[in-house]
Amino acid sequence: MKENPKHIHISEYNYPLPDERIAKFPLPVRDQSKLLVYRHSEVTEDIFTSLPEYLPKGSLMIFNNTKVIQARLHFRKETGALIEVFCLEPIQPNDYVLNFQQTEHAAWLCMIGNLKKWKDGTLKREMTVKGFPITLTATRGECKGTSHWVDFAWNNPEVTFADILEVFGELPIPPYLNRNTEESDKETYQTVYSKIKGSVAAPTAGLHFTPRVLEALQEKGIDLEELTLHVGAGTFKPVKSEEIEGHEMHTEYISVNRNTIKKLIDHDGCAIAVGTTSVRTLESLYHIGVTLADHPDATEQELHVRQWQPYEKYDQIPPVVALQKILGYLDRNGLEALHTSTQIIIAPGYQYKIVKVMVTNFHQPQSTLLLLVSAFVKGNWRTIYDYALSHDFRFLSYGDSSLLIP
């Protein structure tokens, strides 16, 4: 490693973002967004439907197929106070799929809005789900950092927790949109290929893709693969510390199936990543492979990628070897998919291993995602952002897109 990224000052990653440049709503047709093209330090612009023209035939493009859940639940106390319970990640059971299938009881780590009004006691809400009248209760447990353990219980074994969220949850659109969730967000804040429920924020680079763009990519001979990273609310957490060493990255859960690992090996460990979530997952795979090279019998927990792990030691094994180690691990354990978690922080000083090209939106000032982009374009992020600001690009989740080819 050349420099120690822990001492990067986040203030160096600031830029002026006027409120009117933040896209409050998406365009009526997703793939008509603008596309900033950054190729070998040169910046041009196009329209998103032209994306396939810029990509080499035979390359591998990887998407995050996570689906945003309607994670916000509202309860009204007898006093009239409105309490918002925002489900962040499942605790009991701690597997997303199993938790969504629970009947009668589930526990989640939650952020609580209007916490001071919920000192104790149980919150209740009467509702009708799938034709059944039920009472949903929420009981607050221990505090974990800025979140709380919350036990949910309901009195009908025919109703799953997924059913409850589907009917009574609200989609959590980003806080910086400064507006209420609208019915249209249920569709526009999901990618067209979203499948696996679990995110509390959309992998927004994927919002530009339409069936016709996906078809055009396939016609160009580009291999399309999917993986899953469930995006946590921590993605919006601003860096409050002066140096990034003081910022604790949130943990996100990843799942990559055997076939995707094989495809990556077939493509010499090189991929085009759609979105920073795919980037974080793909780069985490390399470090998981490094762990397995040292500890072939590592458990799922031991495969978790710690925040600063990539900067600690560098056994320079090639990406393909790292991926083969994961394949070996899956084979030994009779697994079809790798399930683990990552806390990786990608900042200038990081050496990319697998991601060669990136499709991404424009990120908030002083955010860890801006650090990730800067590391990818060798510090040249200002050129890109200055161009976007002076050429009427729309910013953040519902904004325009960029294609980065270092």
Side-chain angles (χ1 to χ4, degrees), residues 1-57:
M1 300 310 297
K2 295 190 299 294
E3 55 182 295
N4 186 339
K6 291 184 180 183
H7 302 305
I8 287 172
H9 284 254
I10 197 65
S11 57
E12 291 164 22
Y13 293 83
N14 203 358
Y15 69 91
L17 179 59
D19 188 58
E20 63 271 16
R21 302 309 297 274
I22 299 172
K24 298 290 192 284
F25 289 93
L27 295 176
V29 182
R30 303 176 179 239
D31 60 17
Q32 295 304 294
S33 49
K34 283 161 69 126
L35 178 69
L36 180 148
V37 181
Y38 172 86
R39 269 187 303 189
H40 321 310
S41 305
E42 292 290 308
V43 181
T44 55
E45 67 176 87
D46 206 326
I47 193 156
F48 194 80
T49 41
S50 306
L51 176 71
E53 296 163 24
Y54 294 94
L55 304 175
K57 184 179 184 342

Coordinates of all heavy atoms in Angstrom, one line a residue, residues 1-57:
M1 N 0.9 -1.2 0.0 CA 0.0 0.0 0.0 C 0.9 1.2 0.0 O 1.8 1.3 0.7 CB -0.9 0.0 1.3 CG -1.8 -1.2 1.4 SD -2.8 -1.5 0.0 CE -3.7 -0.1 -0.2
K2 N 0.5 2.2 -0.8 CA 1.3 3.4 -0.9 C 1.1 4.3 0.3 O 2.0 4.7 1.0 CB 1.0 4.2 -2.2 CG 1.3 3.4 -3.5 CD 1.2 4.3 -4.7 CE -0.2 4.8 -4.9 NZ -1.2 3.7 -5.2
E3 N -0.2 4.7 0.5 CA -0.4 5.6 1.6 C -1.4 5.0 2.6 O -2.1 4.0 2.3 CB -1.1 6.9 1.0 CG -2.3 6.6 0.2 CD -2.9 7.9 -0.4 OE1 -3.4 8.7 0.4 OE2 -3.0 8.0 -1.6
N4 N -1.4 5.5 3.8 CA -2.4 4.9 4.8 C -3.6 5.8 4.7 O -3.7 6.9 5.1 CB -1.8 5.0 6.2 CG -2.7 4.4 7.2 OD1 -3.9 4.2 6.9 ND2 -2.1 4.0 8.3
P5 N -4.7 5.1 4.2 CA -5.9 5.9 4.0 C -6.6 6.4 5.3 O -7.5 7.2 5.3 CB -6.8 4.9 3.2 CG -6.3 3.6 3.5 CD -4.8 3.7 3.8
K6 N -6.2 5.8 6.4 CA -6.8 6.2 7.7 C -6.7 7.7 8.0 O -7.5 8.3 8.7 CB -6.2 5.4 8.9 CG -6.6 3.9 8.8 CD -6.0 3.2 10.1 CE -6.3 1.7 10.0 NZ -5.9 1.0 11.2
H7 N -5.7 8.3 7.4 CA -5.4 9.7 7.7 C -5.9 10.7 6.7 O -5.6 11.8 6.7 CB -3.9 9.9 8.0 CG -3.4 9.1 9.1 ND1 -4.0 9.1 10.4 CD2 -2.5 8.1 9.2 CE1 -3.4 8.2 11.2 NE2 -2.5 7.6 10.5
I8 N -6.8 10.1 5.8 CA -7.4 11.0 4.8 C -8.4 12.0 5.5 O -9.1 11.5 6.4 CB -8.2 10.2 3.7 CG1 -7.2 9.5 2.8 CG2 -9.2 11.0 3.0 CD1 -7.8 8.4 1.9
H9 N -8.3 13.2 5.2 CA -9.2 14.2 5.7 C -10.5 14.3 4.8 O -10.4 14.6 3.7 CB -8.6 15.6 5.8 CG -7.6 15.7 6.9 ND1 -7.9 16.4 8.1 CD2 -6.4 15.2 7.0 CE1 -6.8 16.3 8.9 NE2 -5.9 15.5 8.3
I10 N -11.6 14.0 5.4 CA -12.9 13.9 4.6 C -13.2 15.3 4.0 O -13.8 15.4 3.0 CB -14.0 13.4 5.5 CG1 -15.2 12.9 4.6 CG2 -14.5 14.3 6.6 CD1 -14.9 11.8 3.7
S11 N -12.7 16.4 4.7 CA -13.0 17.7 4.2 C -12.4 17.9 2.7 O -12.9 18.8 2.0 CB -12.4 18.8 5.1 OG -11.0 18.6 5.2
E12 N -11.4 17.1 2.4 CA -10.9 17.2 1.0 C -11.8 16.6 -0.1 O -11.6 16.7 -1.3 CB -9.5 16.5 0.9 CG -8.4 17.2 1.7 CD -7.2 16.3 2.0 OE1 -7.0 15.3 1.2 OE2 -6.5 16.6 3.0
Y13 N -12.9 16.0 0.4 CA -13.9 15.4 -0.5 C -15.2 16.1 -0.4 O -16.3 15.5 -0.4 CB -14.0 13.9 -0.2 CG -12.7 13.2 -0.5 CD1 -11.6 13.2 0.4 CD2 -12.5 12.6 -1.7 CE1 -10.4 12.6 0.1 CE2 -11.2 12.1 -2.1 CZ -10.2 12.1 -1.2 OH -9.0 11.5 -1.5
N14 N -15.1 17.4 -0.4 CA -16.3 18.2 -0.3 C -16.5 18.9 -1.7 O -15.5 19.1 -2.4 CB -16.2 19.3 0.8 CG -17.5 19.7 1.2 OD1 -18.6 19.3 0.7 ND2 -17.5 20.6 2.2
Y15 N -17.7 19.2 -2.0 CA -18.0 20.0 -3.2 C -19.4 20.6 -3.0 O -20.2 20.1 -2.2 CB -18.0 19.1 -4.5 CG -19.1 18.1 -4.6 CD1 -20.3 18.5 -5.3 CD2 -19.0 16.8 -4.1 CE1 -21.3 17.6 -5.4 CE2 -20.0 15.9 -4.2 CZ -21.2 16.3 -4.8 OH -22.3 15.4 -4.9
P16 N -19.7 21.7 -3.6 CA -21.0 22.4 -3.4 C -22.1 21.7 -4.2 O -22.0 21.5 -5.4 CB -20.7 23.8 -4.0 CG -19.7 23.6 -5.0 CD -18.8 22.5 -4.6
L17 N -23.1 21.3 -3.4 CA -24.2 20.6 -4.1 C -25.5 21.3 -3.7 O -26.1 21.1 -2.7 CB -24.3 19.1 -3.6 CG -25.5 18.3 -4.2 CD1 -25.4 18.2 -5.7 CD2 -25.5 16.9 -3.6
P18 N -25.9 22.3 -4.6 CA -27.2 23.0 -4.3 C -28.4 22.1 -4.3 O -28.4 21.1 -5.1 CB -27.3 24.0 -5.5 CG -25.9 23.9 -6.2 CD -25.3 22.6 -5.9
D19 N -29.4 22.4 -3.5 CA -30.5 21.5 -3.4 C -31.2 21.2 -4.7 O -31.7 20.1 -5.0 CB -31.5 22.1 -2.4 CG -32.7 21.1 -2.1 OD1 -32.3 20.0 -1.6 OD2 -33.8 21.5 -2.3
E20 N -31.2 22.3 -5.6 CA -31.9 22.1 -6.9 C -31.2 21.1 -7.8 O -31.8 20.6 -8.8 CB -32.1 23.4 -7.6 CG -30.9 24.2 -8.0 CD -30.3 25.1 -6.9 OE1 -30.7 25.0 -5.8 OE2 -29.5 25.9 -7.3
R21 N -30.0 20.7 -7.5 CA -29.3 19.7 -8.3 C -29.6 18.2 -7.9 O -29.2 17.3 -8.5 CB -27.8 19.9 -8.3 CG -27.3 21.3 -8.7 CD -27.9 21.7 -10.1 NE -27.5 20.8 -11.1 CZ -26.4 20.9 -11.8 NH1 -25.6 21.9 -11.5 NH2 -26.0 20.1 -12.8
I22 N -30.2 18.1 -6.7 CA -30.6 16.8 -6.2 C -31.9 16.4 -6.9 O -32.9 17.1 -6.8 CB -30.8 16.8 -4.7 CG1 -29.4 17.1 -4.0 CG2 -31.3 15.4 -4.2 CD1 -29.5 17.4 -2.5
A23 N -31.9 15.3 -7.6 CA -33.2 14.8 -8.3 C -34.2 14.3 -7.3 O -33.9 13.4 -6.6 CB -32.8 13.7 -9.3
K24 N -35.3 15.0 -7.2 CA -36.3 14.6 -6.1 C -37.1 13.4 -6.7 O -37.7 12.7 -5.9 CB -37.2 15.8 -5.8 CG -36.5 17.0 -5.2 CD -36.0 16.7 -3.8 CE -35.6 18.0 -3.1 NZ -34.3 18.5 -3.5
F25 N -37.3 13.4 -8.0 CA -38.0 12.3 -8.6 C -37.2 11.8 -9.8 O -36.4 12.5 -10.4 CB -39.4 12.8 -9.1 CG -40.4 13.1 -8.0 CD1 -40.4 14.4 -7.5 CD2 -41.2 12.1 -7.4 CE1 -41.3 14.7 -6.4 CE2 -42.1 12.4 -6.4 CZ -42.1 13.7 -5.9
P26 N -37.5 10.5 -10.2 CA -36.8 10.0 -11.4 C -37.4 10.6 -12.7 O -38.5 11.1 -12.6 CB -37.0 8.5 -11.3 CG -38.3 8.4 -10.6 CD -38.4 9.5 -9.6
L27 N -36.7 10.4 -13.8 CA -37.3 10.7 -15.1 C -38.4 9.8 -15.4 O -38.4 8.7 -14.9 CB -36.2 10.6 -16.1 CG -35.0 11.6 -16.0 CD1 -34.0 11.2 -17.1 CD2 -35.4 13.0 -16.2
P28 N -39.4 10.2 -16.2 CA -40.5 9.3 -16.6 C -40.0 8.0 -17.2 O -40.6 7.0 -17.0 CB -41.3 10.2 -17.6 CG -40.8 11.6 -17.4 CD -39.4 11.6 -16.9
V29 N -39.0 8.1 -18.0 CA -38.4 6.9 -18.6 C -37.0 6.7 -18.1 O -36.1 7.5 -18.3 CB -38.4 6.9 -20.2 CG1 -37.9 5.6 -20.8 CG2 -39.8 7.2 -20.7
R30 N -36.8 5.6 -17.3 CA -35.5 5.4 -16.6 C -34.3 5.5 -17.5 O -33.3 6.1 -17.0 CB -35.4 4.0 -16.0 CG -36.5 3.6 -15.1 CD -36.3 2.1 -14.7 NE -37.3 1.8 -13.8 CZ -37.1 1.3 -12.6 NH1 -35.9 1.1 -12.1 NH2 -38.2 1.1 -11.8
D31 N -34.3 4.9 -18.6 CA -33.0 4.8 -19.4 C -32.8 6.1 -20.2 O -31.8 6.1 -21.1 CB -33.0 3.6 -20.3 CG -34.2 3.5 -21.3 OD1 -34.8 4.6 -21.6 OD2 -34.4 2.4 -21.8
Q32 N -33.6 7.2 -20.0 CA -33.3 8.4 -20.8 C -32.4 9.4 -19.9 O -32.2 10.5 -20.3 CB -34.6 9.1 -21.1 CG -35.5 8.3 -22.1 CD -34.7 8.0 -23.4 OE1 -34.3 8.9 -24.2 NE2 -34.4 6.7 -23.6
S33 N -31.9 8.9 -18.8 CA -31.0 9.7 -18.0 C -29.7 10.0 -18.8 O -29.4 9.3 -19.7 CB -30.7 9.0 -16.7 OG -30.3 7.7 -16.9
K34 N -29.1 11.0 -18.3 CA -27.8 11.4 -18.9 C -26.7 10.4 -18.4 O -26.8 9.9 -17.3 CB -27.4 12.8 -18.6 CG -28.2 13.9 -19.4 CD -28.1 15.2 -18.7 CE -26.7 15.9 -18.8 NZ -26.8 17.2 -19.4
L35 N -25.7 10.2 -19.3 CA -24.6 9.3 -18.9 C -23.3 10.1 -19.1 O -23.0 10.5 -20.2 CB -24.6 8.0 -19.8 CG -23.5 7.0 -19.6 CD1 -23.6 6.3 -18.3 CD2 -23.4 6.0 -20.7
L36 N -22.6 10.3 -18.0 CA -21.3 10.9 -18.1 C -20.3 9.8 -18.4 O -20.3 8.7 -17.7 CB -20.9 11.6 -16.8 CG -19.6 12.3 -16.7 CD1 -19.6 13.5 -15.8 CD2 -18.5 11.4 -16.2
V37 N -19.5 9.9 -19.4 CA -18.5 8.9 -19.7 C -17.1 9.4 -19.4 O -16.6 10.4 -19.9 CB -18.6 8.5 -21.2 CG1 -17.6 7.4 -21.5 CG2 -20.0 8.1 -21.5
Y38 N -16.4 8.7 -18.4 CA -15.1 9.1 -18.1 C -14.2 8.0 -18.6 O -14.2 6.8 -18.1 CB -15.0 9.2 -16.5 CG -13.6 9.4 -16.0 CD1 -13.0 10.7 -15.9 CD2 -12.8 8.3 -15.6 CE1 -11.7 10.8 -15.4 CE2 -11.5 8.5 -15.1 CZ -11.0 9.7 -15.0 OH -9.7 9.9 -14.6
R39 N -13.4 8.3 -19.6 CA -12.5 7.3 -20.2 C -11.1 7.8 -20.2 O -10.8 8.7 -20.9 CB -12.9 6.9 -21.6 CG -13.9 5.8 -21.7 CD -14.1 5.4 -23.1 NE -14.6 6.5 -23.9 CZ -15.0 6.4 -25.2 NH1 -15.1 5.2 -25.7 NH2 -15.4 7.5 -25.9
H40 N -10.2 7.1 -19.4 CA -8.8 7.4 -19.4 C -8.6 9.0 -19.2 O -7.9 9.6 -20.0 CB -8.1 6.9 -20.6 CG -8.6 5.6 -21.0 ND1 -8.6 4.5 -20.2 CD2 -9.0 5.1 -22.2 CE1 -9.1 3.4 -20.8 NE2 -9.4 3.8 -22.1
S41 N -9.2 9.5 -18.2 CA -9.1 11.0 -17.8 C -9.9 11.9 -18.8 O -9.9 13.1 -18.5 CB -7.7 11.4 -17.8 OG -7.0 10.6 -16.9
E42 N -10.5 11.4 -19.8 CA -11.3 12.3 -20.7 C -12.8 12.2 -20.3 O -13.3 11.1 -20.1 CB -11.2 11.9 -22.2 CG -9.8 12.1 -22.7 CD -9.5 13.6 -22.9 OE1 -10.3 14.3 -23.5 OE2 -8.4 14.0 -22.4
V43 N -13.5 13.3 -20.3 CA -14.9 13.3 -20.0 C -15.8 13.7 -21.1 O -15.5 14.7 -21.8 CB -15.2 14.2 -18.8 CG1 -16.7 14.2 -18.4 CG2 -14.4 13.9 -17.5
T44 N -16.8 12.9 -21.4 CA -17.8 13.2 -22.5 C -19.2 12.9 -21.9 O -19.3 12.4 -20.8 CB -17.6 12.4 -23.8 OG1 -17.6 11.0 -23.5 CG2 -16.3 12.8 -24.5
E45 N -20.2 13.2 -22.6 CA -21.6 12.8 -22.1 C -22.4 12.2 -23.3 O -22.2 12.4 -24.4 CB -22.3 13.9 -21.5 CG -22.7 15.1 -22.4 CD -23.5 16.1 -21.6 OE1 -22.9 17.0 -21.0 OE2 -24.7 16.0 -21.6
D46 N -23.4 11.4 -22.8 CA -24.2 10.7 -23.7 C -25.6 10.4 -23.0 O -25.8 11.0 -22.0 CB -23.6 9.3 -24.2 CG -24.0 8.8 -25.5 OD1 -25.2 9.1 -25.9 OD2 -23.2 8.2 -26.3
I47 N -26.3 9.5 -23.6 CA -27.6 9.1 -22.9 C -27.5 7.6 -22.5 O -26.7 6.9 -23.1 CB -28.8 9.3 -23.9 CG1 -30.1 9.3 -23.2 CG2 -28.7 8.4 -25.1 CD1 -31.2 10.0 -23.9
F48 N -28.2 7.3 -21.4 CA -27.9 5.9 -20.8 C -28.2 4.8 -21.8 O -27.5 3.8 -21.7 CB -28.8 5.8 -19.5 CG -28.3 4.6 -18.7 CD1 -27.2 4.7 -17.9 CD2 -29.0 3.3 -18.8 CE1 -26.8 3.6 -17.1 CE2 -28.5 2.3 -18.1 CZ -27.4 2.4 -17.2
T49 N -29.1 4.9 -22.7 CA -29.3 3.8 -23.6 C -28.1 3.5 -24.5 O -28.0 2.4 -25.1 CB -30.5 4.1 -24.6 OG1 -30.4 5.5 -25.0 CG2 -31.9 3.9 -23.9
S50 N -27.2 4.4 -24.6 CA -25.9 4.2 -25.3 C -24.9 3.4 -24.6 O -23.8 3.0 -25.1 CB -25.3 5.5 -25.7 OG -26.2 6.3 -26.4
L51 N -25.2 3.1 -23.3 CA -24.2 2.4 -22.5 C -23.5 1.2 -23.2 O -22.3 1.1 -23.2 CB -24.8 1.9 -21.2 CG -23.9 1.1 -20.2 CD1 -22.9 2.0 -19.6 CD2 -24.8 0.4 -19.1
P52 N -24.3 0.3 -23.8 CA -23.6 -0.9 -24.4 C -22.5 -0.6 -25.4 O -21.5 -1.3 -25.6 CB -24.8 -1.7 -25.1 CG -26.0 -1.2 -24.4 CD -25.7 0.2 -24.0
E53 N -22.6 0.6 -26.1 CA -21.6 0.9 -27.1 C -20.2 1.2 -26.5 O -19.2 1.1 -27.2 CB -22.1 2.2 -27.8 CG -23.4 2.0 -28.6 CD -24.0 3.4 -29.0 OE1 -23.3 4.4 -29.0 OE2 -25.3 3.4 -29.1
Y54 N -20.2 1.5 -25.2 CA -18.9 1.8 -24.6 C -18.2 0.6 -24.0 O -17.1 0.7 -23.5 CB -19.1 2.8 -23.5 CG -19.5 4.2 -24.1 CD1 -20.9 4.5 -24.1 CD2 -18.6 5.1 -24.5 CE1 -21.3 5.7 -24.6 CE2 -19.0 6.3 -25.1 CZ -20.3 6.6 -25.1 OH -20.7 7.8 -25.6
L55 N -18.9 -0.6 -24.0 CA -18.4 -1.7 -23.3 C -17.8 -2.8 -24.2 O -18.4 -3.1 -25.3 CB -19.4 -2.3 -22.4 CG -20.1 -1.3 -21.4 CD1 -21.2 -2.0 -20.6 CD2 -19.0 -0.8 -20.4
P56 N -16.7 -3.4 -23.9 CA -16.1 -4.4 -24.8 C -16.9 -5.7 -24.8 O -17.4 -6.2 -23.8 CB -14.7 -4.7 -24.2 CG -14.8 -4.1 -22.8 CD -15.9 -3.1 -22.7
K57 N -17.1 -6.2 -26.0 CA -17.8 -7.5 -26.3 C -17.1 -8.5 -25.4 O -15.9 -8.5 -25.3 CB -17.7 -7.8 -27.8 CG -18.4 -9.0 -28.2 CD -18.2 -9.1 -29.7 CE -18.9 -10.3 -30.4 NZ -19.5 -11.3 -29.7

